[in-house]
Amino acid sequence: MKSNLLLLLLVGTYAVPALAPAQSIDTTVPASQQAAGITDPWAPTHGVKSAEQFDKEWQDSVSKFDARRIALLKEADEQAHDGPYGPDWETLRNHEIPQWFKEAKFGIFIGWGVYAVPGAVNEWYPHNMYRPGDPAHEDFVKRFGGFDNRGYKDFIPLFRAEKWDPKDWVKLFKQAGAKYVVPIAEHHDGFAMYDSDLSDWTVMKMGPHRDVLAELSAAIRGAGLHFGLSSHRAEHNYYYDEGRSIRSDVNDPKYASFYGPAHQWLNDPHFNPVNEWTYVSDAWLRDWLARSVELVERYKPELMYFDGGNGQPAYRASMTEFTAFYDNFAVRHHIDGVITLKDFAMEWTAGARDFERSLRTDIDPRPWQTDTSISNLSWGYMEHDQFKTPEFLIHQLVDIVSKNGNLLLSIGPRADGTIPDEVRAILLDIGEWLDLNGEAIYATEPWIISGEGPTQVKAGFATDQDMKPYTSSDFRFTRKGENLYIISLACPADGTATVHALGLAGEARNNVIREVDLLGSNQKVDWLQTTGALNVKLPQDAACKYGFALRVKFASSQQTQAREVRK
C-alpha cells in the first residue's frame, strides 16, 4: 500500500513535470558523445569512453565554481602552514584528542538524505538502483517505472523535509543521553545537505530549500551538545559507476555535476582501501579538499568524520593538508576539534580511530569510536525496517566504553523530516537506562581489565551483530576518580552477582572494598569480598532493566595502591 502510494506521488507530482522539456531526454547529443560515436546521450558509456574523458566531462560541468574553489584551496594552504601543526605527520601526530570526546561516550549519527525518498533496501540505493539484478534496481523499475526518462536525481524534488523540526530532533537526542551529534553533510550520492558555493545540487537550491546543516548546528549547540559533521565525498568519485553499463542518465554529461565522474570502482575484495585502484584525478582531489575546507570554515565542527574512501593512497597528500588545515583552524577559533579516521586515512595517532560496526577485544589506551546503525539493514530510512533492540545497543555501549571507546549510533529520518516511532522508542529506552546508570558511563576511564564473563566478543568489520546473548556472569568495568563501576550485561534471576575480578586474589590485587552501592537506588546492598570474588545480593526492589551498575569504593589506604597498580 505504501509503495503504491509513493508511486502515485511520483507520477502525480513529479513524473508529469518530468515529461516537460526541462526534464525530458535532450535529443541534442553533446560533442563529447558525438566524438565517441554515441547518438543517445543516455547510452551506456562503460568501455566506450576513457576515465580521462569521464573526468573531463565532470570537470567541465563544475568549472563555473573554479574561482571559489581556487580561493578555498589557497586558504587551506595558508592555514595548513600557519599554526602549531604543519602538513606532515611528525607534527600532526602530536594532536591531543579533546577532553569532551573522551568524556562523551555516546553520540548520534544522522543518516539523512535523498535516499530516504525511495526508503527501500538500504542507503546504497542510489548506487545499486543502476545495477541490474540488485533488489534496488528491481524496486526502482517496479515502483517508479524504470530508467526511460528518470534516474536518482529525480527523487530530489520529493525530498522536501516539510515536517522537519531540528529542535525536536535534538530534544530526542538529548533525552537519549547523547552528548554529541554528527549529521551527514554529504553522502556518497553527492547531494549536499548544506549551503555550498561549489555545487548547484544542494538543500538550499533544491528540495527543502533550507540549510539543514546550519539549522542542525544551531539546535545542537543550543542544547549544549557537541556538533560534528560527516563527509562521504571521496566515495562519490565512483558511486554511480553501475549507471555507465546501462542506458541511464548517469551517462549524460548534462548531469555530470551531480553524478560526478562515475569512474569504475576498482575496489579490494575485502574493502581494504590501500589495495584500491579506482581512478582519482588531481582535479577531483582539489575539489574534495576545497569542499572539506568550505565545510569547516562555514560550520566550524568539533568533529570531522570521514568514511573509508579517504584511505585510498591517492588521498594521502590531500588528507595531510586537510588535517593540518583543520587542526590549525581549530586552534585559531578555539575549537576542541578531532578527526575520526577509518582504516588508513591518517596516521593513527593524529586522530581518533573509528571502527565501523566493530567491537574491540581489548582496552585501547587511546580513545576510539565505533559507529553502527540502529537498523540491522540500513544506515538511513527504509520502510519495513528491522531494528536492534535497546538491550543490544546498551550492552554494546557498555562494552565499548569499558575499552575506552565511544558509540556513534546512526538513525535514519524520513524524507519529510520525521523520525520513525520505533526509532524514538529505542532512543528513549537507551536514555532511560543512562539516566539511571550514566554515572558509570560518562567521563569514565578503563579499569585494569575491561570485564569478565563467558561471552566472547568478536572483533572485525561488520561483526557487531554476531554477538551471542550475554549472561548474568558477564560484567564490564569502568572507573572515575576513586570509584570503580561494575556493570552487568544481564539480570540475575536470583538477584545475586559474583564478580571474580574484585576478589582479593583477583585483579583487585588485595584492595579492600569499603562500600558497594547500586546506582539509582537508596537501598542497602549486601556484599562480601572474599579471596575469590566479590559476592553481591541486590535489594529486592532493585531496577535491572538491561542490567545494573554498582559503584565500588575501596578503603582509603588501598586507593593509592590501586592507582599505582594501574599506572
Side-chain angles (χ1 to χ4, degrees):
M1 183 65 179
K2 291 182 179 179
S3 298
N4 292 335
L5 177 59
L6 192 51
L7 178 56
L8 288 173
L9 284 172
L10 186 63
V11 173
T13 65
Y14 182 66
V16 172
L19 297 177
Q23 294 291 338
S24 61
I25 300 175
D26 189 348
T27 56
T28 303
V29 181
S32 61
Q33 304 276 64
Q34 294 178 20
I38 299 173
T39 58
D40 175 2
W42 284 30
T45 50
H46 177 65
V48 177
K49 295 182 182 179
S50 68
E52 288 183 338
Q53 287 176 302
F54 291 150
D55 217 80
K56 180 64 164 56
E57 289 176 353
W58 166 74
Q59 291 177 41
D60 290 344
S61 73
V62 296
S63 61
K64 70 177 185 177
F65 304 113
D66 283 351
R68 179 58 180 148
R69 187 181 301 108
I70 290 170
L72 286 165
L73 292 173
K74 181 181 179 183
E75 292 167 16
D77 183 65
E78 290 174 351
Q79 294 190 53
H81 292 85
D82 183 16
Y85 303 97
D88 62 82
W89 297 109
E90 286 86 353
T91 57
L92 295 173
R93 68 200 308 268
N94 294 324
H95 178 266
E96 288 289 332
I97 294 177
Q99 191 65 25
W100 75 258
F101 183 81
K102 296 176 183 178
E103 296 180 354
K105 305 305 180 184
F106 181 43
I108 296 293
F109 185 88
I110 308 174
W112 196 35
V114 176
Y115 40 89
V117 173
V121 189
N122 55 43
E123 82 288 350
W124 269 68
Y125 192 102
H127 171 87
N128 292 325
M129 63 181 274
Y130 291 100
R131 187 178 183 180
D134 190 274
H137 180 90
E138 296 173 359
D139 179 83
F140 185 76
V141 171
K142 180 179 179 180
R143 296 166 66 201
F144 308 111
F147 298 87
D148 285 345
N149 62 355
R150 59 174 64 88
Y152 181 69
K153 69 183 185 311
D154 298 309
F155 284 124
I156 295 173
L158 296 178
F159 182 66
R160 303 189 186 102
E162 65 270 22
K163 298 179 181 179
W164 179 49
D165 180 355
K167 290 184 178 179
D168 176 67
W169 280 17
V170 174
K171 178 182 178 182
L172 174 64
F173 302 155
K174 196 163 186 176
Q175 289 174 325
K179 300 299 183 182
Y180 61 111
V181 184
V182 183
I184 289 179
E186 181 182 335
H187 205 254
H188 312 344
D189 66 348
F191 187 72
M193 298 289 290
Y194 63 100
D195 185 17
S196 175
D197 294 333
L198 299 175
S199 175
D200 287 327
W201 303 86
T202 78
V203 286
M204 281 295 288
K205 300 169 185 175
M206 297 179 176
H209 295 281
R210 297 169 67 176
D211 189 341
V212 168
L213 218 55
E215 291 189 48
L216 273 172
S217 172
I220 291 164
R221 288 172 161 140
L225 303 180
H226 297 277
F227 170 74
L229 58 82
S230 165
S231 171
H232 306 244
R233 179 69 185 176
E235 288 83 355
H236 185 64
N237 182 50
Y238 59 76
Y239 193 58
Y240 293 102
D241 67 333
E242 297 289 349
R244 295 284 189 193
S245 297
I246 64 172
R247 186 181 181 280
S248 78
D249 56 343
V250 173
N251 299 294
D252 195 337
K254 183 169 62 175
Y255 304 118
S257 61
F258 178 54
Y259 291 122
H263 290 301
Q264 185 177 6
W265 187 18
L266 303 177
N267 64 310
D268 177 80
H270 303 289
F271 298 98
N272 182 348
V274 173
N275 193 36
E276 185 173 316
W277 300 94
T278 303
Y279 185 93
V280 183
S281 68
D282 288 341
W284 179 263
L285 292 170
R286 289 193 297 272
D287 183 75
W288 174 87
L289 180 58
R291 288 174 185 249
S292 301
V293 169
E294 180 185 49
L295 281 169
V296 171
E297 290 188 340
R298 183 161 291 180
Y299 301 102
K300 298 178 175 59
E302 296 167 85
L303 181 149
M304 281 294 296
Y305 172 111
F306 290 113
D307 211 348
N310 300 78
Q312 190 176 349
Y315 284 87
R316 284 288 172 89
S318 300
M319 276 299 298
T320 305
E321 182 160 358
F322 173 80
T323 305
F325 157 77
Y326 177 74
D327 287 354
N328 286 334
F329 182 92
V331 171
R332 186 175 296 109
H333 292 85
H334 308 289
I335 298 169
D336 291 325
V338 61
I339 300 174
T340 62
L341 62 137
K342 291 186 178 181
D343 301 311
F344 304 96
M346 295 165 56
E347 204 277 338
W348 286 352
T349 59
R353 293 187 70 189
D354 181 279
F355 300 87
E356 183 173 328
R357 291 185 54 208
S358 178
L359 301 175
R360 302 290 301 272
T361 58
D362 56 348
I363 295 172
D364 191 328
R366 189 173 178 83
W368 55 280
Q369 176 179 270
T370 283
D371 61 299
T372 194
S373 177
I374 201 167
S375 164
N376 288 322
L377 303 176
S378 178
W379 291 77
Y381 170 74
M382 61 177 289
E383 294 186 59
H384 315 299
D385 206 345
Q386 299 173 15
F387 297 102
K388 297 177 176 69
T389 66
E391 180 179 38
F392 179 92
L393 292 168
I394 289 168
H395 290 168
Q396 192 169 84
L397 171 65
V398 170
D399 181 75
I400 290 166
V401 170
S402 73
K403 296 164 183 172
N404 209 26
N406 289 9
L407 173 62
L408 184 62
L409 181 64
S410 179
I411 64 147
R414 297 185 182 92
D416 66 5
T418 58
I419 295 174
D421 289 342
E422 300 95 327
V423 173
R424 285 181 172 273
I426 294 168
L427 291 179
L428 291 174
D429 236 7
I430 294 172
E432 182 182 346
W433 188 89
L434 284 169
D435 280 344
L436 197 66
N437 301 291
E439 180 185 329
I441 298 295
Y442 303 121
T444 60
E445 297 178 347
W447 191 48
I448 302 168
I449 58 173
S450 62
E452 69 176 43
T455 308
Q456 298 298 308
V457 170
K458 185 177 181 181
F461 172 72
T463 56
D464 64 340
Q465 293 185 56
D466 297 339
M467 286 296 302
K468 294 180 180 179
Y470 286 107
T471 73
S472 58
S473 297
D474 288 301
F475 300 96
R476 294 295 180 267
F477 307 120
T478 61
R479 72 179 189 94
K480 184 189 304 180
E482 297 177 345
N483 296 334
L484 170 68
Y485 299 95
I486 305 169
I487 309 170
S488 73
L489 297 176
C491 297
D494 61 358
T496 66
T498 301
V499 186
H500 297 284
L502 270 293
L504 292 171
E507 279 74 9
R509 312 274 175 84
N510 289 318
N511 290 323
V512 177
I513 294 174
R514 172 170 57 89
E515 185 178 327
V516 177
D517 297 309
L518 176 67
L519 295 189
S521 173
N522 294 321
Q523 301 297 313
K524 179 184 177 183
V525 176
D526 293 326
W527 58 273
L528 175 65
Q529 184 185 26
T530 67
T531 301
L534 168 64
N535 299 293
V536 176
K537 180 152 182 74
L538 302 175
Q540 287 187 349
D541 61 348
C544 190
K545 188 177 182 181
Y546 312 135
F548 60 85
L550 298 171
R551 181 197 304 116
V552 175
K553 294 181 180 292
F554 293 101
S556 57
S557 62
Q558 301 295 335
Q559 290 168 10
T560 301
Q561 179 185 352
R563 288 197 296 268
E564 291 174 350
V565 168
R566 189 178 186 280
K567 287 181 180 179

